[in-house]
Amino acid sequence: MTLSRKPPLSPRALTYLLTLVYFSGYLTRVNFASIIQEVVTDTGFSKSALSVIPVCLFITYAVGQIVNGRLGDKLDPRTLIFCGLAVSSIINLIFPFCSASLTAMRVLWAVNGFVQAMLWPPIIRIMVRSMSEQEYTSNVVLLTMGSTAAKVLIFLLAPVVIALGGWRTVFYICAGFGIAVSALFFLYRARIVMEEPLVSTAPSSEEKHPLPRAVWMPLIFIFLAIILHGALRDGLDTWMPSYLVEVFRFGNSEAILSRVLLSLFMLVSILASKWLYRRFFKNEVACCVTLFAVSTLGALLLFFFFDSSAWLVIPLMMLVSGIQGGINLMLISYVPKRFRAYGGISTITGLLDAFAYVGSAISTYGVAALAENRGWEFTTGSWLLTSALGTLCVVIAMQPWKRFFTLSPKQADTER
């Protein structure tokens, strides 16, 4: 029997495969950010000069999310996923050979950002179109946790690999793993079949309705909240090692390992947010009001005690950065399911993730510039302001968003 005649993957098996793909993609995306302090030490380039490299990725990733999100609704999403992971892996293989040139590193990482954007929107489209809403809500949590698990692995792996073979070896390992997973995905791609669940209250993929006017006001504030979320998530995550090195005199390897704590708390945040959503809210934006409020409280304490003790600062950074995992689950992973009846799932998913990386690009360079020119106290104050503004955005969007997703498509048509 040929592979093409084998039965389609079950929802759970499909989730495992797509999670492995996204896990691999995350390894080949965040590895540079995880070792940036080591690259500063090795090459002699300044933090602000090297920070442009992940900013290039964030910008092209954001643009790529829009372009590839749209393509994900028009082309075979399986092809986009395979090409994205395979090309990203090859770029990781080449990147260490270009470490003497800032321009070459920036160009390569910019291309990496664009091809990385071929993963998330098509993956979400496949999952939404292959699963019931209940299956999707449950399984997408595993997918989201897969990216965080990749961060944990790279933060644990990087110091050991750097000690044994230098920071360049981190890229070789990630590239090899990505190529292997690309090959595995190619072997199973024929068993990924998008089809509507047998029992569903949503209309079939052919019965698409135009978006109602009611969606745009809350969606604009969701976009703004996502920008602020991206700024907090990647601003703290990227520069925590530098913070600890400069303020508390940590070693580079110790500082990198401390980021494991951020990612582990992010896993806890994702699971806790899923429980809060199911138990109390059933409204992803309302759940984010609570999450952003907790983040703001943590940022306030971090601002007041930014240089008091590493044992206090690290837990506070864990809280502010880790809680972004739950916000990401709500706004990036759960929001797209509300568009099942309207089509364009890959497009809206790409837009949502694009706005997160707009915030990431601003914050990654902005944190480096603020820390160098105004110090870490001023920088922690910017995190407090960012979190407070995020809280305000989701408070404004909460009720209008609920009104949108509780309308049936036919009711929405009459309100257009």
Side-chain angles (χ1 to χ4, degrees):
M1 181 181 291
T2 63
L3 183 62
S4 61
R5 293 178 183 173
K6 291 183 178 179
L9 295 174
S10 68
R12 202 61 176 173
L14 177 60
T15 300
Y16 289 145
L17 177 61
L18 294 177
T19 299
L20 180 60
V21 168
Y22 198 58
F23 173 89
S24 306
Y26 232 77
L27 286 180
T28 56
R29 188 200 315 172
V30 304
N31 48 8
F32 180 81
S34 73
I35 60 172
I36 191 169
Q37 186 61 40
E38 188 68 26
V39 181
V40 169
T41 303
D42 181 58
T43 64
F45 294 126
S46 68
K47 290 195 302 292
S48 56
L50 285 172
S51 71
V52 175
I53 295 172
V55 169
C56 289
L57 180 141
F58 293 149
I59 292 171
T60 56
Y61 186 83
V63 173
Q65 287 287 345
I66 298 171
V67 174
N68 295 314
R70 185 63 176 165
L71 290 176
D73 284 319
K74 302 294 184 181
L75 305 177
D76 187 339
R78 299 170 300 181
T79 301
L80 288 177
I81 292 168
F82 171 75
C83 291
L85 183 56
V87 174
S88 179
S89 301
I90 293 170
I91 289 172
N92 270 254
L93 196 60
I94 298 171
F95 187 86
F97 296 100
C98 303
S99 60
S101 169
L102 276 172
T103 300
M105 288 192 290
R106 289 168 181 174
V107 170
L108 275 175
W109 223 234
V111 176
N112 190 33
F114 187 84
V115 298
Q116 283 276 338
M118 294 180 179
L119 301 179
W120 182 254
I123 284 174
I124 295 299
R125 181 191 172 199
I126 288 172
M127 291 184 69
V128 170
R129 289 299 183 194
S130 303
M131 303 175 188
S132 67
E133 181 176 336
Q134 183 177 2
E135 288 172 335
Y136 174 82
T137 301
S138 176
N139 288 330
V140 79
V141 174
L142 182 61
L143 183 70
T144 304
M145 292 178 68
S147 61
T148 306
K151 282 187 176 183
V152 172
L153 178 62
I154 199 70
F155 296 154
L156 289 173
L157 182 69
V160 177
V161 173
I162 289 169
L164 295 176
W167 63 265
R168 292 169 180 83
T169 309
V170 174
F171 288 89
Y172 301 144
I173 292 173
C174 292
F177 188 77
I179 290 169
V181 174
S182 299
L184 180 67
F185 181 80
F186 186 82
L187 290 175
Y188 279 91
R189 67 190 300 273
R191 296 181 62 184
I192 300 174
V193 179
M194 289 193 301
E195 57 186 5
E196 294 294 322
L198 295 177
V199 180
S200 174
T201 58
S204 69
S205 58
E206 287 76 25
E207 297 179 53
K208 298 191 177 88
H209 298 262
L211 282 173
R213 287 194 302 257
V215 72
W216 292 110
M217 191 282 275
L219 198 56
I220 287 170
F221 281 96
I222 288 172
F223 288 155
L224 291 173
I226 289 173
I227 291 173
L228 297 165
H229 149 71
L232 286 170
R233 180 190 64 187
D234 289 304
L236 273 75
D237 189 52
T238 300
W239 292 112
M240 181 183 181
S242 295
Y243 186 160
L244 297 178
V245 167
E246 294 174 13
V247 177
F248 299 109
R249 307 305 178 194
F250 276 40
N252 286 344
S253 295
E254 293 172 323
I256 291 173
L257 281 172
S258 68
R259 296 176 70 184
V260 174
L261 299 176
L262 268 69
S263 296
L264 289 174
F265 187 78
M266 191 171 286
L267 291 172
V268 174
S269 171
I270 291 168
L271 293 173
S273 300
K274 175 187 175 182
W275 180 81
L276 285 172
Y277 174 84
R278 287 186 167 182
R279 181 68 177 82
F280 297 107
F281 295 107
K282 303 295 176 63
N283 177 347
E284 48 275 9
V285 176
C287 188
C288 281
V289 172
T290 298
L291 298 175
F292 262 117
V294 172
S295 172
T296 302
L297 176 60
L300 178 64
L301 294 173
L302 181 61
F303 174 66
F304 283 117
F305 301 104
F306 81 99
D307 63 349
S308 60
S309 167
W311 300 109
L312 177 60
V313 165
I314 290 175
L316 289 174
M317 295 189 81
M318 286 171 57
L319 179 64
V320 178
S321 180
I323 208 76
Q324 305 308 313
I327 294 172
N328 186 275
L329 175 67
M330 295 297 122
L331 298 184
I332 308 295
S333 300
Y334 279 4
V335 164
K337 70 181 182 179
R338 306 297 185 184
F339 293 85
R340 186 187 189 106
Y342 303 98
I345 293 168
S346 181
T347 300
I348 191 65
T349 301
L351 278 172
L352 293 168
D353 213 17
F355 281 108
Y357 280 86
V358 169
S360 298
I362 295 170
S363 180
T364 300
Y365 181 79
V367 168
L370 284 176
E372 286 184 348
N373 296 301
R374 301 299 297 271
W376 286 106
E377 182 178 14
F378 194 89
T379 303
T380 57
S382 72
W383 293 335
L384 172 59
L385 178 61
T386 301
S387 190
L389 290 174
T391 306
L392 179 62
C393 287
V394 290
V395 166
I396 293 172
M398 178 173 59
Q399 289 303 322
W401 181 251
K402 181 178 180 180
R403 174 167 172 74
F404 159 67
F405 72 73
T406 53
L407 286 175
S408 70
K410 290 184 179 179
Q411 286 176 316
D413 286 345
T414 64
E415 295 199 4
R416 294 187 73 251

